[in-house]
Structures are given as C-alpha cells and as structure tokens.
C-alpha cells in the first residue's frame, strides 16, 4: 500500500506541477493581454485627442471659409456694380463722341 500511495502522491505532484506551469502560462498571457489593453487605451486616447484637435481645426477652417464666401459675395456685388458703371460710362462716351461730331467745326 505504501508504494501505491507513493505512486498516487507522485501522480498528484505531477498534476500539481503541470497545473502550476499552466497557471504561469495563463498569468503570462494575462499580463500580455493587459499590456495590449494599455497600448490600445493609449492609442484610443491619442486618437480621441487628435479627433478633438481636428474638430477644432475644422471649425476654424469652416469659419474662415464662411468669411471668404462672404467676401466673395461682396466682391461679386461690387464687380457687378462696377460693370454697370463702366457700361454706363461707355454709353456716355459714345454719346459724347457723337456730340463732338455734330458741333462745329465738324458739323456744318
């Protein structure tokens, strides 16, 4: 019986050692997983910061774009006014030229 008990004890000890090795492996994997989780968390935080920065930049660019559009509308309106004035000036010049031809000494 002593031999059987010793054999059983060796078996249990072997199983315990195998369990300990598996536990060490699982702990190693858990540590790796935690490290990966920390890395992912850091990347997520960086991405969130970059996203916030991009939102701020986009808002600033949108404001600048709106101002530029307003200025372009103002310029377009001013150019339309200038064009109208130039067309009116050309008509006056044409009339003035004809008036010169109808006055003496050109017209007798």
């Amino acid at each position: 019986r002593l031999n059987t008990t010793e054999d059983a004890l060796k078996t249990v000890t072997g199983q315990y050692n195998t369990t300990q090795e598996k536990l060490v492996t699982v702990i190693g994997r858990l540590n790796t997983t935690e490290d990966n989780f920390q890395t992912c968390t850091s990347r997520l935080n960086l991405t969130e910061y970059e996203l916030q920065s991009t939102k701020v930049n986009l808002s600033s660019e949108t404001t600048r774009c709106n101002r530029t559009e307003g200025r372009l509308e103002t310029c377009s309106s001013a150019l339309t006014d200038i064009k109208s004035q130039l067309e009116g000036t050309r008509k006056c010049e044409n009339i003035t030229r004809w008036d010169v031809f109808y006055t003496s000494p050109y017209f007798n």
Side-chain angles (χ1 to χ4, degrees):
R1 278 191 126 194
L2 184 58
N3 288 339
T4 305
T5 303
E6 286 179 353
D7 289 343
L9 183 59
K10 286 180 184 177
T11 301
V12 169
T13 303
Q15 289 173 347
Y16 175 78
N17 290 338
T18 301
T19 302
Q20 283 292 94
E21 291 171 4
K22 288 180 180 179
L23 182 60
V24 168
T25 301
V26 168
I27 289 172
R29 288 180 180 171
L30 179 60
N31 289 338
T32 301
T33 302
E34 286 177 347
D35 290 344
N36 288 342
F37 179 73
Q38 288 298 327
T39 301
C40 289
T41 300
S42 297
R43 287 180 181 172
L44 180 61
N45 289 339
L46 178 62
T47 301
E48 183 178 11
Y49 172 77
E50 289 173 346
L51 179 61
Q52 290 299 326
S53 177
T54 301
K55 283 180 180 179
V56 168
N57 290 339
L58 180 60
S59 176
S60 174
E61 289 300 318
T62 300
T63 301
R64 287 179 58 201
C65 183
N66 289 340
R67 269 192 248 135
T68 302
E69 285 179 356
R71 289 176 183 162
L72 285 173
E73 288 175 8
T74 301
C75 288
S76 176
S77 176
L79 286 173
T80 301
D81 291 345
I82 291 169
K83 181 181 176 187
S84 297
Q85 290 173 359
L86 286 174
E87 288 173 352
T89 303
R90 287 185 190 135
K91 288 178 185 174
C92 288
E93 285 176 0
N94 289 338
I95 292 170
T96 303
R97 287 181 190 147
W98 283 108
D99 286 348
V100 169
F101 288 124
Y102 288 125
T103 58
S104 54
Y106 302 106
F107 184 75
N108 285 328

